[in-house]
Structure formats: C-alpha cells, structure tokens
Amino acid sequence: MLSRKKFAIWFVSLAAALTLTACGGNDGDTGEDSASKEENTTNNESSGHSGDHSGMDHSGSGEVPEGIKEAENPKYEVGSKAFITEGHMEGMEGAEATIAGAYNTIVYTVSYTPTTGGKKVENHKWVVHEEIADAGEEPFKEGDEVTLNASHMKGMEGATAEIDSVQETTVYMVDFTTADGQEVKNHMWVTENELSPAE
C-alpha cells in the first residue's frame, strides 16, 4: 500500500514536472513572439508602416531579380557609405551602410497573407517591380492584386498581394551591422530617401 502511495506521488510529481517544463517551453516561445512583436512595433513606429518583419531574411545572396536596371548615376555610389534613416528591423535605423548595389525601378509596399499561413502582413517595404510575377513595362497601381516572386520573408514567394503604394526611385542593396552587432549582407531594399550621406 505504501509503495503504491509512493508510486502515485512520484507519478504526480513527474506529471507536474513535465507540465511545468512544457509550460516553460511555451513561455519561452511566447517570450520570443513577444520580443518579435515588440521589435516589430518598434520598427513599425520608426519606419511608419505595419509590416511584420520577424520572418525576414535580412541578408541576401546578392542575386538581384532579372531585368532590374543598375542606376547609372546614383546619389550613393556602389562602395560608398551612407546612414540608414529608416529601419525595417531592430538595430537598422542609424546604422552605417556600405552600398552594395544601386538600381532604378518602381518600388511597392504590399499587403499579403503568407503562403505558410499566419497573420496578414500589412504594408511590407519593399518589393521592386521585377519581383512581381508577370510584371510588364507599366507599373502596377494602388489596389492591384499581384503575385509575389520575392522571397525576403518566409511565405512571401507565391503569395497574392495587394499594392498599397507605388514609387519610382533608386533602390539600394546594402551591407550593415545592426546595433547589437549582427552583420547583414546584401539587404534588399532601402530606398534613396531612407539614406543620408555619411559625413
């Protein structure tokens, strides 16, 4: 009888420990989500949009979309330095960037639901004209529904998106180090008005 009681106490203790461990794991996940949400809130406030960039692949291969044209006389030449005045991720705003590429194109902010499921991403900055399926010579208009070929974030490629804004400008691919020391290479994209000259 005593051994059954000991076994029962042991079993309940084990179950409680496993439950607490599982909850602890969930709390960890929630903490990460909260941190991401807090980071995104910070980013959204600083960049003036509500895009969730927690799944964004900030570094890139350096391969640009087919058909995009290199800028002939960009304000910031390849190899030069500039400060990033708007951040799409935490630690980006104010960072000194090295210009890795400069291109003349149409850029869009877009809203879409990721193909992987989850919350709709609102006003994502930026997708260039050449990263949209079946893009012709003419720019898309606000409200147009398009299919994305960009893969800046998980679930972005192949997603149906709505064009929120349209802007013709020079966009830059940049290398920089975030405030917390994370090195980012070939980040796509930063627009010309999101940069300021390095002194």
Side-chain angles (χ1 to χ4, degrees):
M1 192 74 174
L2 195 59
S3 63
R4 278 187 181 177
K5 280 186 179 176
K6 282 184 178 176
F7 177 78
I9 291 168
W10 174 83
F11 183 78
V12 169
S13 298
L14 178 64
L18 288 173
T19 303
L20 288 173
T21 303
C23 289
N26 289 340
D27 286 345
D29 291 345
T30 304
E32 285 175 16
D33 289 343
S34 298
S36 293
K37 284 173 186 166
E38 188 178 316
E39 174 183 323
N40 291 328
T41 302
T42 304
N43 291 342
N44 297 341
E45 287 170 1
S46 66
S47 58
H49 67 102
S50 58
D52 179 353
H53 289 83
S54 58
M56 189 167 188
D57 183 6
H58 297 291
S59 285
S61 64
E63 289 182 29
V64 296
E66 192 175 329
I68 196 166
K69 294 174 184 169
E70 285 189 21
E72 289 183 17
N73 295 302
K75 181 174 179 179
Y76 302 99
E77 294 180 2
V78 174
S80 68
K81 305 278 189 187
F83 287 110
I84 301 170
T85 59
E86 274 196 50
H88 306 159
M89 60 183 278
E90 190 170 354
M92 184 176 180
E93 187 174 352
E96 185 178 58
T98 301
I99 306 300
Y103 306 89
N104 288 333
T105 188
I106 311 288
V107 293
Y108 305 96
T109 54
V110 296
S111 295
Y112 68 96
T113 301
T115 57
T116 50
K119 197 170 82 170
K120 185 176 182 180
V121 177
E122 302 279 353
N123 297 310
H124 170 81
K125 291 182 178 178
W126 299 98
V127 173
V128 297
H129 188 71
E130 293 77 10
E131 291 174 319
I132 295 177
D134 304 318
E137 292 295 316
E138 291 298 310
F140 294 101
K141 297 183 180 76
E142 286 183 25
D144 283 353
E145 193 172 274
V146 299
T147 301
L148 303 176
N149 281 340
S151 55
H152 307 165
M153 297 172 69
K154 289 174 188 173
M156 189 176 199
E157 191 164 8
T160 300
E162 183 177 329
I163 302 290
D164 296 317
S165 71
V166 184
Q167 182 183 349
E168 186 171 357
T169 187
T170 302
V171 295
Y172 296 88
M173 180 165 56
V174 294
D175 300 337
F176 63 95
T177 302
T178 63
D180 63 359
Q182 180 187 345
E183 283 192 32
V184 178
K185 297 284 185 189
N186 302 316
H187 175 79
M188 299 182 196
W189 303 99
V190 177
T191 59
E192 192 156 278
N193 63 4
E194 292 176 323
L195 295 171
S196 67
E199 295 300 326

